[in-house]
Amino acid sequence: MESLTLPKLSQAHGEVTIPGSKSLSNRILLLAAISRGTTVIDNLLDSDDVQHMLQALTQLGVRYELNAERTQCRVVGLDGPLARGQSETIFLGNAGTAMRPLAAALCFGSGEFILTGEERMFERPIGDLIEAMQALGANVDYQQSAGFPPLKISAQPLTAAPVAIEGSISSQFLTAILMAAPLLKQPLTISVTGELVSKPYIDITLDVMQRFGVTVVNNDYQSFVIDGLQSYQSPGKILVEGDASSASYFLAAGAIGGGPVRVHGVGTASVQGDIRFAEVLEQMGATVLRSENWIEVAHQGPLKAIDLDLNHIPDAAMTIAVAALFAEGTTVIRNIYNWRVKETDRIAAMTTELRKLGAIVEEGRDYLSITPPQRVTPAAIDTYKDHRMAMCFSLAAFATDGIVINDPGCTAKTFPDYFERFNKITS
Ligand SMILES: O=C(O)C1=C[C@@H](OP(=O)(O)O)[C@@H](O)[C@H](O)C1
Ligand SMILES: C=C(OP(=O)(O)O)C(=O)O
């Protein structure tokens, strides 16, 4: 396995433009594919997760062209559901934003599909979404374990019935059914059971649907109503914002390594909830400046520990867990149970790796408490095929030399050239 040894860092300073958002790229690609008209997508993310969605669209007969950099894509919409004459096996890696939305959208139309992926995908739940689709009449079978991919979907006409979906494991289930709902061509009411997690991702979904001409009534995240007369229309051109979760590593570097670090591509105009990561850095004592499309962070000296519910920013919250090494006191990150069903069990992985660095870590079912050591111990960090483990532990190099990141290439899921860009703003 490859590994990357980082030099001891003492300073972060400069400007970086962040690649496009994974969450927006995959939502926009899917809606462009089923909408009426041609959509030109700018600043598309070029990474493994988006590649899986693009490959799926190719197999489903969607016509699109990418520019040489693979950041502009012209998609010819089908004006209706994805369909295929023959049986199709579609490999989606470990991309939740491809697996969940496609599992819902492919129940419409016609054809037989096997949705599969990496081994870890077979451990990531999808039962709550499939139950809701089955209530609409969908024909879905589990190929291995009940409640998990791989799935076999036999598309058939569905009928709108009021449907309930469990919200406490992943917001992607609700996102998936919301995005597919206009294919029903009948009014649909979706009610949410349990406490909906990761709510800001639903705002991203509703925003993208709106750009494609479909309005959803949001009754305080308890229920959602989609009028049956709406259908997706291409907006013509659409720009993907920079990825706010990817921005978190650079913003945190500004808070730990002096700064200022200015990140372009996200700002007050962003629809992504993860821009609220900057508020957490402010509470830790950092100075944050914002404009519509950039955020800048600077700070000298140690940070302050925080004790916060970070359910609304589950991805960027991982960056706080490593920033806690640079804070005075004990940092507690709460209400993050679903870290356990993402790329790896992130609560367990974070605990193991922070302990290697000498931190005192308490691992709860749904929280982490982190007390930094007097002196961080150099260590080789295992990344568990989790891009965010690799990216957030790069920050540990501000504490000591001898930080080794095992399998740094795993950042390809959302940020293939992360380490090159991180190098440019750190010394
Ligand atoms: O809808 C999305 O684009 C995402 C939702 C979140 O997942 P959960 O809703 O499972 O927390 C997030 O962690 C993931 O990276 C992307
Ligand atoms: C949880 C993540 O990914 P996915 O979209 O596969 O759920 C993530 O990117 O942190």
Side-chain angles (χ1 to χ4, degrees):
M1 186 186 35
E2 264 190 51
S3 63
L4 176 70
T5 303
L6 297 171
K8 162 96 170 73
L9 300 175
S10 52
Q11 252 219 326
H13 175 83
E15 306 202 11
V16 57
T17 299
I18 226 72
S21 150
K22 165 198 75 168
S23 295
L24 283 162
S25 293
N26 274 354
R27 281 168 173 76
I28 291 171
L29 281 171
L30 179 59
L31 296 197
I34 60 179
S35 69
R36 185 149 73 95
T38 296
T39 306
V40 177
I41 309 168
D42 276 309
N43 199 36
L44 190 74
L45 174 62
D46 179 21
S47 80
D48 286 357
D49 275 10
V50 177
Q51 186 49 41
H52 290 305
M53 177 62 92
L54 283 166
Q55 177 58 30
L57 296 184
T58 301
Q59 286 182 251
L60 293 163
V62 177
R63 288 192 295 129
Y64 63 83
E65 281 162 31
L66 283 164
N67 68 352
E69 294 78 39
R70 308 177 63 81
T71 53
Q72 190 187 63
C73 188
R74 187 173 170 279
V75 183
V76 183
L78 297 171
D79 192 15
L82 300 157
R84 210 66 188 138
Q86 73 270 31
S87 171
E88 205 60 59
T89 297
I90 302 176
F91 179 84
L92 298 171
N94 195 6
T97 55
M99 176 60 80
R100 278 74 181 257
L102 282 169
L106 287 171
C107 291
F108 296 80
S110 59
E112 197 177 271
F113 310 98
I114 306 281
L115 292 192
T116 186
E118 285 171 20
E119 298 240 315
R120 175 61 182 169
M121 189 56 108
F122 303 166
E123 297 170 351
R124 298 185 66 187
I126 198 163
D128 294 334
L129 171 61
I130 301 308
E131 268 177 42
M133 293 310 298
Q134 285 167 337
L136 296 175
N139 184 349
V140 185
D141 290 318
Y142 298 111
Q143 298 294 280
Q144 288 183 16
S145 309
F148 299 85
L151 307 172
K152 180 172 157 198
I153 300 174
S154 306
Q156 59 188 35
L158 306 186
T159 41
V163 70
I165 189 145
E166 174 63 36
S168 61
I169 295 295
S170 171
S171 69
Q172 291 178 2
F173 306 152
L174 175 58
T175 281
I177 199 162
L178 281 166
M179 290 205 294
L183 295 171
L184 271 172
K185 304 259 178 227
Q186 295 167 48
L188 182 69
T189 300
I190 304 166
S191 46
V192 180
T193 56
E195 181 64 31
L196 178 63
V197 293
S198 309
K199 282 198 188 79
Y201 286 95
I202 299 304
D203 299 334
I204 301 181
T205 302
L206 300 185
D207 185 79
V208 176
M209 288 175 70
Q210 179 78 63
R211 283 156 178 264
F212 280 84
V214 171
T215 304
V216 179
V217 179
N218 173 359
N219 298 313
D220 200 23
Y221 302 92
Q222 304 281 303
S223 71
F224 296 83
V225 184
I226 300 116
D227 165 340
L229 296 173
Q230 307 180 79
S231 57
Y232 288 125
Q233 313 289 328
S234 163
K237 259 183 158 299
I238 189 162
L239 176 71
V240 177
E241 298 173 0
D243 192 298
S245 319
S246 299
S248 71
Y249 315 107
F250 298 91
L251 297 175
I256 297 165
V261 174
R262 183 175 289 190
V263 177
H264 295 271
V266 288
T268 53
S270 296
V271 297
Q272 299 165 78
D274 268 11
I275 57 158
R276 294 191 57 196
F277 173 79
E279 291 170 19
V280 182
L281 291 180
E282 266 171 335
Q283 292 189 49
M284 294 178 88
T287 304
V288 180
L289 298 180
R290 300 169 173 86
S291 87
E292 264 188 21
N293 54 14
W294 55 255
I295 303 177
E296 184 180 287
V297 176
H299 179 69
Q300 300 292 334
L303 293 164
K304 287 183 278 199
I306 44 99
D307 180 339
L308 291 174
D309 177 337
L310 294 184
N311 187 278
H312 60 297
I313 55 166
D315 295 356
M318 289 178 75
T319 314
I320 295 296
V322 179
L325 291 173
F326 304 89
E328 282 174 338
T330 299
T331 290
V332 189
I333 302 174
R334 298 189 187 274
N335 200 7
I336 49 165
Y337 169 75
N338 82 351
W339 275 25
R340 294 196 182 274
V341 292
K342 299 200 185 236
E343 279 75 340
T344 184
D345 177 339
R346 288 175 165 172
I347 297 187
M350 194 53 88
T351 302
T352 306
E353 302 310 310
L354 284 172
R355 282 182 183 157
K356 282 186 188 168
L357 298 175
I360 298 165
V361 184
E362 187 185 318
E363 175 186 354
R365 189 190 82 94
D366 66 349
Y367 72 89
L368 265 183
S369 140
I370 303 138
T371 310
Q374 292 280 350
R375 197 174 245 283
V376 169
T377 319
I381 301 299
D382 289 317
T383 51
Y384 309 82
K385 297 191 176 151
D386 184 347
H387 53 143
R388 297 200 195 285
M389 287 295 288
M391 295 190 280
C392 56
F393 274 92
S394 63
L395 297 168
F398 284 102
T400 178
D401 59 3
I403 295 291
V404 176
I405 306 288
N406 287 332
D407 188 23
C410 69
T411 68
K413 187 173 192 281
T414 55
F415 203 158
D417 64 350
Y418 171 73
F419 284 103
E420 281 96 310
R421 296 202 197 200
F422 184 70
N423 249 335
K424 286 198 181 131
I425 58 120
T426 53
S427 54

Short mmCIF file of all heavy atoms in Angstrom, two decimals, residues 22 49 94-97 100 124 172 315 342-343 346 387-388 413-414, ligand 2:
data_model
loop_
_atom_site.label_atom_id
_atom_site.label_comp_id
_atom_site.label_asym_id
_atom_site.label_seq_id
_atom_site.Cartn_x
_atom_site.Cartn_y
_atom_site.Cartn_z
N LYS A 22 -19.57 17.36 -4.70
CA LYS A 22 -20.02 16.00 -5.02
C LYS A 22 -21.54 15.90 -4.94
O LYS A 22 -22.19 15.35 -5.83
CB LYS A 22 -19.41 15.02 -4.02
CG LYS A 22 -20.07 13.67 -4.01
CD LYS A 22 -19.77 12.87 -2.75
CE LYS A 22 -20.53 13.38 -1.54
NZ LYS A 22 -20.48 12.46 -0.39
N ASP A 49 -16.71 9.28 -7.26
CA ASP A 49 -18.16 9.21 -7.03
C ASP A 49 -18.95 9.72 -8.24
O ASP A 49 -20.00 9.17 -8.58
CB ASP A 49 -18.55 10.05 -5.80
CG ASP A 49 -18.38 9.28 -4.49
OD1 ASP A 49 -17.79 8.18 -4.52
OD2 ASP A 49 -18.84 9.78 -3.44
N ASN A 94 -18.50 3.14 -3.95
CA ASN A 94 -19.02 3.39 -2.61
C ASN A 94 -19.71 4.76 -2.59
O ASN A 94 -19.64 5.48 -1.60
CB ASN A 94 -17.88 3.32 -1.59
CG ASN A 94 -18.40 3.22 -0.17
OD1 ASN A 94 -19.61 3.09 0.06
ND2 ASN A 94 -17.50 3.30 0.80
N ALA A 95 -20.35 5.10 -3.70
CA ALA A 95 -20.96 6.43 -3.83
C ALA A 95 -22.41 6.41 -3.37
O ALA A 95 -23.31 6.01 -4.12
CB ALA A 95 -20.87 6.91 -5.28
N GLY A 96 -22.64 6.87 -2.14
CA GLY A 96 -24.01 6.95 -1.62
C GLY A 96 -24.89 7.84 -2.49
O GLY A 96 -26.07 7.57 -2.69
N THR A 97 -24.30 8.92 -3.02
CA THR A 97 -25.08 9.88 -3.82
C THR A 97 -25.40 9.33 -5.21
O THR A 97 -26.15 9.96 -5.96
CB THR A 97 -24.35 11.22 -3.98
OG1 THR A 97 -23.05 10.97 -4.52
CG2 THR A 97 -24.23 11.96 -2.66
N ARG A 100 -28.16 5.62 -3.74
CA ARG A 100 -29.50 5.85 -3.18
C ARG A 100 -30.41 6.50 -4.22
O ARG A 100 -31.50 5.97 -4.49
CB ARG A 100 -29.41 6.67 -1.89
CG ARG A 100 -29.08 5.89 -0.60
CD ARG A 100 -27.64 5.43 -0.47
NE ARG A 100 -27.37 4.68 0.73
CZ ARG A 100 -26.75 5.18 1.82
NH1 ARG A 100 -26.30 6.41 1.83
NH2 ARG A 100 -26.55 4.41 2.88
N ARG A 124 -23.65 -0.77 3.87
CA ARG A 124 -24.30 0.54 4.09
C ARG A 124 -25.81 0.37 3.86
O ARG A 124 -26.24 0.02 2.77
CB ARG A 124 -23.69 1.59 3.16
CG ARG A 124 -22.19 1.81 3.43
CD ARG A 124 -21.63 2.94 2.60
NE ARG A 124 -22.21 4.22 2.97
CZ ARG A 124 -21.99 5.35 2.31
NH1 ARG A 124 -21.23 5.35 1.24
NH2 ARG A 124 -22.55 6.47 2.71
N GLN A 172 -30.12 10.69 2.64
CA GLN A 172 -30.08 10.33 1.21
C GLN A 172 -31.30 9.51 0.80
O GLN A 172 -31.67 9.51 -0.37
CB GLN A 172 -28.79 9.56 0.89
CG GLN A 172 -27.55 10.44 0.97
CD GLN A 172 -26.27 9.67 0.70
OE1 GLN A 172 -26.29 8.48 0.42
NE2 GLN A 172 -25.13 10.35 0.82
N ASP A 315 -20.14 15.55 7.54
CA ASP A 315 -18.87 15.33 6.84
C ASP A 315 -17.79 16.27 7.37
O ASP A 315 -16.68 15.86 7.72
CB ASP A 315 -19.03 15.50 5.33
CG ASP A 315 -19.94 14.43 4.73
OD1 ASP A 315 -20.37 13.52 5.47
OD2 ASP A 315 -20.23 14.50 3.52
N LYS A 342 -21.02 5.10 7.21
CA LYS A 342 -20.53 5.80 6.02
C LYS A 342 -19.37 5.01 5.42
O LYS A 342 -19.39 3.79 5.45
CB LYS A 342 -20.21 7.24 6.38
CG LYS A 342 -21.48 7.95 6.89
CD LYS A 342 -21.41 9.42 6.82
CE LYS A 342 -22.65 10.03 7.44
NZ LYS A 342 -23.34 10.93 6.52
N GLU A 343 -18.36 5.66 4.86
CA GLU A 343 -17.29 4.95 4.14
C GLU A 343 -16.64 3.87 4.99
O GLU A 343 -16.16 2.86 4.50
CB GLU A 343 -16.23 5.95 3.66
CG GLU A 343 -16.60 6.69 2.38
CD GLU A 343 -17.63 7.78 2.54
OE1 GLU A 343 -18.37 7.78 3.54
OE2 GLU A 343 -17.71 8.65 1.65
N ARG A 346 -16.85 5.57 11.06
CA ARG A 346 -15.98 6.74 11.28
C ARG A 346 -15.78 7.06 12.76
O ARG A 346 -14.77 7.68 13.11
CB ARG A 346 -16.56 7.96 10.55
CG ARG A 346 -16.41 7.85 9.06
CD ARG A 346 -17.09 8.99 8.32
NE ARG A 346 -16.62 9.03 6.94
CZ ARG A 346 -17.12 9.82 6.00
NH1 ARG A 346 -18.11 10.64 6.28
NH2 ARG A 346 -16.63 9.81 4.78
N HIS A 387 -11.87 8.63 2.18
CA HIS A 387 -11.24 9.88 1.73
C HIS A 387 -11.13 10.92 2.84
O HIS A 387 -10.12 11.62 2.95
CB HIS A 387 -12.06 10.45 0.55
CG HIS A 387 -13.53 10.62 0.81
ND1 HIS A 387 -14.26 11.66 0.32
CD2 HIS A 387 -14.42 9.88 1.54
CE1 HIS A 387 -15.53 11.55 0.70
NE2 HIS A 387 -15.64 10.46 1.43
N ARG A 388 -12.18 11.02 3.68
CA ARG A 388 -12.14 12.06 4.71
C ARG A 388 -11.14 11.75 5.82
O ARG A 388 -10.59 12.66 6.44
CB ARG A 388 -13.53 12.32 5.29
CG ARG A 388 -14.48 12.82 4.25
CD ARG A 388 -15.70 13.54 4.75
NE ARG A 388 -16.63 13.61 3.64
CZ ARG A 388 -16.51 14.45 2.60
NH1 ARG A 388 -15.53 15.32 2.56
NH2 ARG A 388 -17.38 14.41 1.61
N LYS A 413 -12.16 9.60 -4.09
CA LYS A 413 -13.63 9.50 -4.03
C LYS A 413 -14.27 10.87 -4.29
O LYS A 413 -15.27 10.97 -4.98
CB LYS A 413 -14.06 8.96 -2.66
CG LYS A 413 -15.56 8.67 -2.57
CD LYS A 413 -15.91 7.96 -1.26
CE LYS A 413 -17.33 7.40 -1.28
NZ LYS A 413 -18.37 8.38 -1.03
N THR A 414 -13.68 11.90 -3.69
CA THR A 414 -14.26 13.25 -3.89
C THR A 414 -13.24 14.33 -4.23
O THR A 414 -13.62 15.44 -4.61
CB THR A 414 -14.98 13.74 -2.61
OG1 THR A 414 -14.05 13.67 -1.52
CG2 THR A 414 -16.21 12.91 -2.31
C1 LIG B 2 -20.61 10.00 3.50
C2 LIG B 2 -20.00 10.35 2.37
O1 LIG B 2 -20.26 9.85 1.14
P1 LIG B 2 -21.54 9.17 0.46
O2 LIG B 2 -22.03 10.17 -0.53
O3 LIG B 2 -21.01 7.94 -0.19
O4 LIG B 2 -22.57 8.88 1.52
C3 LIG B 2 -18.90 11.35 2.39
O5 LIG B 2 -18.51 11.81 1.30
O6 LIG B 2 -18.41 11.71 3.46
#
